[in-house]
Amino acid sequence: ETTSRSATTSVALSVLLCLTASPAVRDVDSGAGGGGDGSIGSPWNSIASITGMSTGDNLYFKRGTITTGQLNVSWSGTSSNSPSIIGAYGSGDAPILSGTNTTTILQPSSSARHNIYVTDLVLRFATNSVVRVRSQNRNWTITNCVIENSITSHGLSLDCQFFSLINSQVRSNGNSGSSHGMYLDTSGSGTATNYVIKGCVIHDNSGDGIKINSGNVSRIENIVLDGNTIFRNGNNGINNE
């Protein structure tokens, strides 16, 4: 199985993956019974049941379902040209990954989780940032996703390298002027290098739409903003200070 399971995944990526060895495909359906092995015929039914993911494996959530919990990505893609995909399968609305008292919905489990491609998901309701990709992780792409409803913090908190947010919505995050749609953190040892934010709609966040904390300007480099719509945020659309 390849990325053709997700209709909005780029054709170029699909062709590229077809030219490489087929990775393992694992499925999650929150409506399935317990004891599944992650196969299409016997999917896992929760984030807690996901196990044994290896380099290059792909993970798909069933459309029309809501899965609660925190997804800690403990594996990497094979390379930047052959990423590990976290996406959707089936028909219907995009799958929702949602928290209750969950700190973060999506994050790497530790450093050196590289080459991850996230597509066609709704990520919502976290007590901290909804998506958190910190230093020493690189080559993450999030496309065609909705990132919303951080209760007290940011939609995305980032200090990694080579990160892209494409054709996604970031909305209704935070509860104060220090809670932003996207927070690019270069304080401390943080970096904000080689970012592409393209075709996104970023709105109704409590603080800035995009906040670049330029605590160390030597670690801000190659940030491309292209064709985004940013409106009705509590502070600024884009703030670099």
Side-chain angles (χ1 to χ4, degrees):
E1 295 177 73
T2 69
T3 59
S4 61
R5 306 182 77 199
S6 171
T8 55
T9 303
S10 69
V11 173
L13 181 61
S14 298
V15 171
L16 181 61
L17 291 177
C18 287
L19 296 176
T20 64
S22 296
V25 172
R26 300 288 182 252
D27 296 306
V28 180
D29 174 2
S30 61
D37 60 8
S39 65
I40 187 64
S42 182
W44 292 315
N45 68 353
S46 67
I47 288 174
S49 62
I50 296 171
T51 185
M53 296 291 292
S54 300
T55 298
D57 287 353
N58 297 326
L59 180 66
Y60 294 93
F61 292 82
K62 187 175 181 179
R63 289 182 176 274
T65 63
I66 300 175
T67 306
T68 59
Q70 179 172 300
L71 179 58
N72 294 311
V73 179
S74 60
W75 66 97
S76 295
T78 304
S79 69
S80 59
N81 291 326
S82 184
S84 178
I85 298 162
I86 302 173
Y89 77 97
S91 60
D93 294 336
I96 297 171
L97 275 60
S98 180
T100 49
N101 294 318
T102 306
T103 303
T104 297
I105 301 302
L106 176 67
Q107 66 177 5
S109 63
S110 62
S111 61
R113 306 306 181 194
H114 308 316
N115 310 313
I116 302 296
Y117 187 94
V118 181
T119 184
D120 300 321
L121 299 176
V122 176
L123 308 169
R124 63 166 55 151
F125 290 126
T127 57
N128 206 307
S129 298
V130 177
V131 175
R132 192 171 185 264
V133 186
R134 309 303 284 175
S135 59
Q136 301 181 29
N137 296 278
R138 65 177 184 271
N139 293 325
W140 279 60
T141 295
I142 298 178
T143 181
N144 299 308
C145 288
V146 176
I147 299 164
E148 61 185 5
N149 300 131
S150 168
I151 297 170
T152 62
S153 192
H154 319 298
L156 301 97
S157 181
L158 310 166
D159 67 0
C160 55
Q161 300 182 53
F162 297 96
F163 179 89
S164 296
L165 183 71
I166 310 294
N167 297 334
S168 294
Q169 295 188 55
V170 182
R171 63 194 187 196
S172 303
N173 292 288
N175 63 350
S176 72
S178 59
S179 304
H180 312 295
M182 298 185 68
Y183 182 58
L184 282 56
D185 185 10
T186 64
S187 63
S189 60
T191 61
T193 60
N194 300 296
Y195 283 27
V196 176
I197 305 168
K198 182 176 181 180
C200 295
V201 181
I202 302 173
H203 66 95
D204 290 294
N205 300 286
S206 294
D208 300 318
I210 300 173
K211 172 65 178 286
I212 303 172
N213 180 2
S214 50
N216 189 326
V217 295
S218 67
R219 291 195 289 269
I220 301 173
E221 187 176 32
N222 297 333
I223 298 176
V224 176
L225 304 175
D226 182 10
N228 301 291
T229 302
I230 304 174
F231 65 96
R232 210 165 56 221
N233 296 286
N235 295 335
N236 304 285
I238 302 172
N239 185 4
N240 180 15
E241 65 177 14

